[in-house]
């Protein structure tokens, strides 16, 4: 009986610690977004490259994207920025999303595939791909000499007026001339924050 009681006490303590850590993670995620628009991203595709890679949520690996039995390669210009996913986010299918983590472009020098980095979201490009919401968030690193001081998409458009146009043009063309991508709008950091907070998951 004593042994059983000790096991139950141990189980309760471990469960309580887990919940405390989980709650701490949730609070930290929300606070960083609410106060600083900071998130963690996983780089799937380095800037300037052509091969399409994707994070597999089942295997926990970044794997070559396959379409029609063949590895996907972009038949256009290389990616205009580092591309990847925002960790701990989810785009719900029932709300018109694709069921995947939110996508993000990180402006700046190329980073290795698999890099996890804290980045600052400055806005996003609202778009549809095959009639599904497939928004592309735009991020910068606070440590980047070129873009680090930028906090909103409007500041980026003043300092580098053609950069968002370059990304939009790339998005419209990287799938070829018959692309079904529809770019609807470019939204600021506050709008991005609201979308991020609604998309948070803690799994």
């Amino acid at each position: 009986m004593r042994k059983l009681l000790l096991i139950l006490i141990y189980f309760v303590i471990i469960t309580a610690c887990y919940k405390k850590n989980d709650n701490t993670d949730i609070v930290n995620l929300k606070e960083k977004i609410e106060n600083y628009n900071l998130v963690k991203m996983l780089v799937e595709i380095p800037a300037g490259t052509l091969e399409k890679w994707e994070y597999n949520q089942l295997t926990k690996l970044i794997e070559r994207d396959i379409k029609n039995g063949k590895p996907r390669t972009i038949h256009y210009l290389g990616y205009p920025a580092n591309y990847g996913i925002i960790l701990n986010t989810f785009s719900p299918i029932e709300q018109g999303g694709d069921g995947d983590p939110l996508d993000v472009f990180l402006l700046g020098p190329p980073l290795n595939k698999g890099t996890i980095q804290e980045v600052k979201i400055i806005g996003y490009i609202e778009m549809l791909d095959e009639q599904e919401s497939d928004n592309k968030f735009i991020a910068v690193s606070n440590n980047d000499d070129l873009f680090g001081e930028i906090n909103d998409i409007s500041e980026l458009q003043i300092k580098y007026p053609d950069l968002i146009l370059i990304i939009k043009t790339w998005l419209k063309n990287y799938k070829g001339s018959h692309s079904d991508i529809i770019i609807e709008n470019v939204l600021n950091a506050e709008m991005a924050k609201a979308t991020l907070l609604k998309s948070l998951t803690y799994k």
Side-chain angles (χ1 to χ4, degrees), residues 67-78:
K67 189 171 184 179
N68 300 323
K70 296 181 179 179
R72 285 184 66 189
T73 299
I74 304 303
H75 298 291
Y76 190 56
L77 301 174

Side-chain angles (χ1 to χ4, degrees), residues 17-34:
C17 288
Y18 174 79
K19 287 184 177 177
K20 182 179 179 183
N21 289 338
D22 190 48
N23 289 337
T24 300
D25 289 342
I26 292 171
V27 170
N28 287 342
L29 279 171
K30 292 183 74 172
E31 282 186 351
K32 284 197 171 186
I33 293 172
E34 288 171 345

Side-chain angles (χ1 to χ4, degrees), residues 126-163:
E126 191 177 41
M127 59 173 262
L128 297 174
D129 187 0
E130 297 180 358
Q131 301 305 311
E132 293 180 343
S133 175
D134 194 21
N135 300 328
K136 306 299 182 188
F137 286 76
I138 308 297
V140 299
S141 168
N142 281 328
N143 299 323
D144 187 86
D145 292 337
L146 197 59
F147 303 108
E149 297 300 317
I150 293 173
N151 295 301
D152 190 85
I153 205 88
S154 60
E155 297 171 21
L156 180 70
Q157 289 175 314
I158 291 170
K159 195 167 184 180
Y160 303 104
D162 295 326
L163 210 160

Side-chain angles (χ1 to χ4, degrees), residues 5-108:
L5 185 60
L6 287 172
I7 292 172
L8 286 172
I9 292 171
Y10 177 77
F11 177 77
V12 169
I13 291 171
I14 293 298
T15 303
C17 288
Y18 174 79
K19 287 184 177 177
K20 182 179 179 183
N21 289 338
D22 190 48
N23 289 337
T24 300
D25 289 342
I26 292 171
V27 170
N28 287 342
L29 279 171
K30 292 183 74 172
E31 282 186 351
K32 284 197 171 186
I33 293 172
E34 288 171 345
N35 296 327
Y36 310 107
N37 264 22
L38 291 175
V39 298
K40 282 191 177 179
M41 77 167 287
L42 169 67
V43 177
E44 297 171 308
I45 305 168
T49 61
L50 296 169
E51 293 181 352
K52 187 86 167 67
W53 293 79
E54 278 190 334
Y55 176 70
N56 186 321
Q57 297 184 70
L58 295 177
T59 64
K60 310 299 182 187
L61 298 172
I62 299 175
E63 302 172 353
R64 191 72 186 275
D65 189 20
I66 305 295
K67 189 171 184 179
N68 300 323
K70 296 181 179 179
R72 285 184 66 189
T73 299
I74 304 303
H75 298 291
Y76 190 56
L77 301 174
Y79 275 75
N82 297 291
Y83 184 80
I85 57 172
I86 299 175
L87 299 177
N88 301 110
T89 62
F90 179 70
S91 179
I93 293 174
E94 60 272 16
Q95 296 178 21
D98 57 10
D100 294 327
L102 300 178
D103 299 319
V104 58
F105 281 109
L106 173 62
L107 307 178

Side-chain angles (χ1 to χ4, degrees), residues 124-129 136 164-165 167-173 180-186:
Y124 71 101
I125 297 172
E126 191 177 41
M127 59 173 262
L128 297 174
D129 187 0
K136 306 299 182 188
I164 291 298
L165 177 60
I167 294 175
K168 287 167 65 176
T169 301
W170 187 88
L171 287 168
K172 287 288 291 180
N173 289 278
D180 53 7
I181 288 173
I182 299 171
I183 294 178
E184 297 187 315
N185 211 343
V186 179

